[in-house]
Amino acid sequence: MKQLTRILSGLLILLTGQQLYAQQITNAEKLSVPQSSAFKLVDISPTLIESPATPKAFGLGVLQSFSGDGWPQNYTAQFTPYWWALPKGRDVFNFIGIQRNKNGTSPEVWKTNPFSALKFTNISIAFIKKDMVPDTVTASQKVFSAGFRTTVIRAYGRGYAERLHALVDTLTQKQQADILELVNADPAYSAAVLSGDTATTARIIRQYTARKNEALSALMNRVKSQLIEKPIFQWDVSGAYATYGIADTTWKTGRAGIWSTVVFNTPLNAHSAGAATTNYLSIAGYARYMYDAYAIEKGLIAHSNSVDVGGRLSFEFDPISFGMEAIYRNYAVGDNLKSQRVVGFVNYRVAKDLYINGAFGNDFGLDKSRILALFGVVVGFGNEKLDMSKLPSAP
Amino acid sequence: MNHYVAGNGDQQIKMAVDISTNGFAWTRGFTIQEDGTKLPIPNGVSDATGDIRQMSLERAINLQRKSIHIVTKIELFWEDITTREIEFKKIGARYIFDDGTDGHKEFNTPDQVINASGDFSVVYLLMTVKLD
């Protein structure tokens, strides 16, 4: 098992090496802690129901430092293999899930591919230190968890593809004109090209780019806003497996689970003057099946299965969003383990991709007086939230 | 400098550009004469994929001693700089010439890949092929 530990630690270091570089870029990145399936299986999340956007190439979260015995505490890394794939014929339309159909001389018609987000299947691992065994001993176990998350279906509302089509066509005209302007921006450009003076061409291009074309930047931002518009329907599936280190020598299956979320997003601001949708009412349904090797039956540890069923209602009025999620958990054994989790949450976007969030309410467990009080700064992709701050105490 | 022998016949020389990236890309072709006179190639423009389907440039004899200069602008639009850098390293380009004395010839490496914005959000590919 020590060998396994060494292998897993090596994998974590490998996966996080590039992210550590990225974390030097901005302070905001240092504060980011992504949601991950590997964390969710062991209930380390202020909210369990989410509808993720396009995942980053790497995600990394550190909630606490390494423990005294060298086992990383509450540390997760996410990896999206697609970002490293090199399929032939890759282009932006495949990436954003747009199919372009042209019939004879009729105008090109754009449609969204509802399965296009499958390619962003995300893999996560986590090292956790938490008391996962419901006995009278309060010692924490070393936990290694691995999981995946994928979006099976993502459907956009009527008009989404055509709005994007109009924007991208306009952008293409402007970008083509911009290239023409670039090559004529400096009389020395042609001579540099013909003589192979790469330093001069690079200098001209960098200087031209630094003189920002505000109209072009605004149009590009408008396209980006359109791209992160929420789908009206999204179906996500996740799964994870966790193994517990018992007494430092034995590793046993702790939990395994699979869960699914369906989300309906209703835009609350119409597409007036081509503006991007930023306000939504979101309703989500959530179900999870979980095998738990450490449940309690008549005072003794027993294997059990549990089923979670829940929902989430949230309002998003950029820059603030708030809502509530409620989840009911039913164990096959031990009626006294049936419990609910009811959590209210609020996110406030203080800057582009930088959020302050909070969550409050009752966690799973028998002690219903428990209150989560989580506030932190998080970083998200686009308008999505990656809400995580401090670890709640073990249920 | 990359070379393509077009020959001195009357046949049309053909060109295609294939850009591989998940970002938005726009390509535009130019002819540059020996004295530096530069002209955009009619129809030598791409859509947002950066690709130019095979197109006729001009008669081979009219292309003698001219250079074809191809500029591709790529917008890597992800907020996360790590992702943009990964995408930057994955950018691929093929420049394909046909029907000259050299027959079918492909160039798979641009002359320059320029991280113009410094943060991998705006990238330029430059390619020049001298025709003989």
Side-chain angles (χ1 to χ4, degrees):
Chain A
M1 186 41 64
K2 283 182 179 173
Q3 192 174 5
L4 174 64
T5 304
R6 277 199 298 272
I7 292 169
L8 294 175
S9 299
L11 178 64
L12 183 67
I13 290 165
L14 184 70
L15 279 171
T16 57
Q18 292 195 41
Q19 183 66 21
L20 290 174
Y21 159 74
Q23 288 192 324
Q24 293 167 4
I25 305 297
T26 64
N27 288 330
E29 285 286 332
K30 288 180 184 172
L31 296 169
S32 97
V33 182
Q35 297 263 14
S36 79
S37 299
F39 260 18
K40 283 178 178 291
L41 181 66
V42 288
D43 300 333
I44 302 185
S45 288
T47 55
L48 290 180
I49 304 172
E50 63 163 341
S51 177
T54 304
K56 296 194 291 187
F58 275 115
L60 175 70
V62 184
L63 297 186
Q64 294 176 30
S65 60
F66 281 65
S67 60
D69 57 6
W71 185 257
Q73 286 202 79
N74 308 323
Y75 195 95
T76 184
Q78 293 189 74
F79 173 72
T80 306
Y82 176 79
W83 290 107
W84 278 264
L86 292 168
K88 281 190 173 177
R90 66 186 185 281
D91 64 37
V92 70
F93 296 107
N94 285 329
F95 180 84
I96 63 179
I98 290 289
Q99 295 170 329
R100 300 179 298 163
N101 304 313
K102 187 161 172 60
N103 241 340
T105 55
S106 58
E108 194 173 73
V109 176
W110 287 21
K111 288 182 178 172
T112 52
N113 174 2
F115 305 106
S116 65
L118 271 170
K119 58 180 174 278
F120 298 118
T121 297
N122 174 265
I123 295 165
S124 57
I125 60 171
F127 294 82
I128 300 150
K129 197 121 194 221
K130 184 177 178 182
D131 184 4
M132 299 297 295
V133 179
D135 53 14
T136 54
V137 181
T138 56
S140 297
Q141 289 82 46
K142 295 172 183 173
V143 178
F144 172 72
S145 176
F148 76 95
R149 183 180 71 200
T150 191
T151 297
V152 182
I153 292 176
R154 186 177 62 181
Y156 288 91
R158 186 179 298 171
Y160 171 86
E162 284 312 309
R163 284 195 300 278
L164 190 61
H165 187 175
L167 279 170
V168 171
D169 278 359
T170 305
L171 181 65
T172 293
Q173 289 172 16
K174 303 276 186 197
Q175 292 284 13
Q176 289 291 356
D178 192 57
I179 293 174
L180 194 58
E181 196 177 313
L182 162 73
V183 300
N184 292 313
D186 192 314
Y189 186 87
S190 292
V193 168
L194 292 177
S195 64
D197 181 357
T198 55
T200 298
T201 49
R203 176 184 57 77
I204 291 169
I205 284 177
R206 289 200 174 98
Q207 285 176 348
Y208 182 82
T209 304
R211 294 198 302 268
K212 208 167 184 176
N213 182 332
E214 296 295 343
L216 197 54
S217 298
L219 187 56
M220 190 67 217
N221 287 335
R222 180 67 190 85
V223 171
K224 286 193 218 173
S225 298
Q226 186 67 39
L227 288 175
I228 57 174
E229 187 172 304
K230 287 176 183 281
I232 57 166
F233 174 77
Q234 183 164 322
W235 174 31
D236 298 316
V237 174
S238 303
Y241 170 85
T243 179
Y244 303 166
I246 309 295
D248 278 347
T249 54
T250 308
W251 284 80
K252 291 186 175 175
T253 294
R255 286 182 176 183
I258 185 162
W259 59 98
S260 182
T261 307
V262 291
V263 182
F264 297 89
N265 295 305
T266 303
L268 295 178
N269 55 335
H271 299 282
S272 55
T277 301
T278 52
N279 300 343
Y280 301 90
L281 162 64
S282 295
I283 300 170
Y286 167 83
R288 175 165 88 168
Y289 164 79
M290 183 176 73
Y291 166 78
D292 190 348
Y294 293 89
I296 283 186
E297 185 179 27
K298 296 175 183 170
L300 298 172
I301 302 288
H303 294 192
S304 182
N305 302 308
S306 72
V307 174
D308 288 0
V309 177
R312 171 178 170 137
L313 178 74
S314 62
F315 289 94
E316 188 168 309
F317 298 102
D318 190 46
I320 194 165
S321 68
F322 54 89
M324 180 164 282
E325 73 173 32
I327 300 170
Y328 176 76
R329 176 169 291 174
N330 185 12
Y331 270 87
V333 299
D335 278 353
N336 60 348
L337 283 177
K338 290 178 182 173
S339 64
Q340 302 88 36
R341 172 182 166 116
V342 181
V343 175
F345 58 88
V346 61
N347 290 288
Y348 181 72
R349 184 168 62 81
V350 291
K352 190 179 182 184
D353 294 313
L354 185 62
Y355 299 87
I356 293 175
N357 74 348
F360 49 88
N362 294 326
D363 197 1
F364 291 122
L366 303 178
D367 177 9
K368 288 301 155 197
S369 63
R370 188 190 311 279
I371 300 293
L372 302 174
L374 310 167
F375 289 94
V377 179
V378 292
V379 175
F381 176 90
N383 288 336
E384 289 293 331
K385 283 81 184 164
L386 296 170
D387 43 356
M388 171 67 76
S389 51
K390 297 195 71 172
L391 176 71
S393 55
Chain B
M1 177 75 78
N2 309 289
H3 286 273
Y4 181 77
V5 180
N8 55 6
D10 281 336
Q11 82 283 10
Q12 292 281 330
I13 300 300
K14 295 194 173 65
M15 181 190 81
V17 178
D18 177 15
I19 302 296
S20 296
T21 178
N22 287 322
F24 285 102
W26 297 273
T27 299
R28 186 151 202 167
F30 301 86
T31 54
I32 305 181
Q33 295 179 19
E34 286 179 302
D35 64 0
T37 305
K38 182 170 58 245
L39 288 171
I41 297 170
N43 302 320
V45 294
S46 74
D47 58 13
T49 65
D51 296 344
I52 296 177
R53 290 186 182 179
Q54 191 181 59
M55 53 158 296
S56 295
L57 284 172
E58 211 174 327
R59 289 192 303 161
I61 192 164
N62 293 340
L63 289 169
Q64 290 278 306
R65 293 181 298 284
K66 287 181 182 173
S67 294
I68 303 297
H69 181 56
I70 301 157
V71 181
T72 301
K73 181 181 182 184
I74 300 174
E75 294 260 6
L76 302 178
F77 54 88
W78 303 277
E79 299 294 345
D80 167 36
I81 191 170
T82 309
T83 300
R84 291 200 302 269
E85 186 177 6
I86 290 166
E87 280 298 319
F88 174 76
K89 290 173 180 169
K90 283 166 52 184
I91 291 170
R94 289 194 308 145
Y95 306 90
I96 304 142
F97 289 80
D98 277 292
D99 292 351
T101 303
D102 267 353
H104 177 85
K105 191 168 182 180
E106 292 190 12
F107 302 91
N108 296 315
T109 310
D111 292 333
Q112 284 180 272
V113 180
I114 301 167
N115 173 15
S117 57
D119 63 358
F120 307 106
S121 59
V122 181
V123 175
Y124 281 89
L125 311 183
L126 302 184
M127 182 67 173
T128 307
V129 179
K130 178 111 174 36
L131 301 179
D132 294 315

